[in-house]
Amino acid sequence: MEKNIELYESFFQERKDYYLEKLRLLESNKKFTINYAALIFGILWFFYRKMYLEILIIYSFIALETLFEKYFLSMIIGEESMIIFSIAFSISLLIFVGFTGNYLYLKKAKRTITKAEKKYINLEMQKQYVTKKGGTSFIFIWIIIVLGALYAALK
């Protein structure tokens, strides 16, 4: 990590101190630390952190679980029990995301930095690449909020 500290700082941007500490913990074999923002905001945190592949995987899992609930589990346990199961699943998913968010984000940082090092020889070009791929973005969060408001208004 030490030779790549500048690249990690470029990737993490304004939260570099927090994530560098989490990276040190990861490298000392403490893989799972709680991320309260991921715990509270769930999949929105992944959008904010530009973790689109992870969103796709989590959303696919949620979609499969929803289909399982609707077409299989509801027939076995009934509609009333389904509500309890659905709430329990949602809470469990948020806890899972809260405890794996940092790990997944750090893994993404490592992948991005490795790719930058292979793609560019110059450190400044590497920094530009990881800065673009890292950091945060509100664009998808605003899109989700607007789509949610439109959905609520049309319903």
Side-chain angles (χ1 to χ4, degrees):
M1 178 187 87
E2 292 305 321
K3 76 177 186 114
N4 297 334
I5 194 79
E6 289 181 63
L7 294 176
Y8 279 107
E9 287 176 345
S10 295
F11 185 88
F12 298 140
Q13 296 174 17
E14 66 274 353
R15 294 291 308 223
K16 64 185 174 193
D17 294 334
Y18 173 83
Y19 286 108
L20 286 173
E21 176 60 30
K22 299 302 177 185
L23 184 60
R24 285 185 192 94
L25 290 171
L26 176 67
E27 290 182 346
S28 65
N29 255 357
K30 185 165 185 183
K31 290 185 179 180
F32 302 107
T33 56
I34 192 160
N35 183 308
Y36 292 105
L39 178 70
I40 294 167
F41 297 109
I43 204 163
L44 290 177
W45 179 82
F46 285 85
F47 276 112
Y48 178 68
R49 286 284 163 197
K50 301 181 186 176
M51 298 175 67
Y52 308 121
L53 175 63
E54 292 80 358
I55 292 166
L56 181 64
I57 293 168
I58 291 170
Y59 186 75
S60 297
F61 178 72
I62 292 170
L64 287 173
E65 188 277 334
T66 302
L67 291 172
F68 172 75
E69 279 183 19
K70 184 175 182 178
Y71 294 109
F72 182 73
L73 199 58
S74 63
M75 290 184 253
I76 295 173
I77 65 174
E79 290 295 322
E80 290 179 17
S81 298
M82 274 295 302
I83 295 170
I84 295 168
F85 178 84
S86 188
I87 292 169
F89 175 79
S90 297
I91 291 170
S92 299
L93 184 64
L94 284 174
I95 291 170
F96 174 78
V97 165
F99 277 98
T100 60
N102 285 335
Y103 175 77
L104 295 172
Y105 187 60
L106 294 171
K107 286 297 198 181
K108 179 186 181 204
K110 284 184 177 191
R111 283 191 316 268
T112 304
I113 288 169
T114 300
K115 190 172 183 178
E117 290 173 332
K118 288 179 182 176
K119 195 172 187 173
Y120 303 104
I121 296 171
N122 181 332
L123 180 63
E124 287 307 311
M125 295 293 288
Q126 292 172 354
K127 280 185 186 181
Q128 287 177 356
Y129 180 82
V130 298
T131 299
K132 180 181 174 189
K133 297 292 183 181
T136 59
S137 173
F138 278 105
I139 188 75
F140 284 111
I141 294 174
W142 286 114
I143 290 170
I144 290 170
I145 290 170
V146 168
L147 289 176
L150 284 173
Y151 176 77
L154 295 173
K155 196 173 181 183

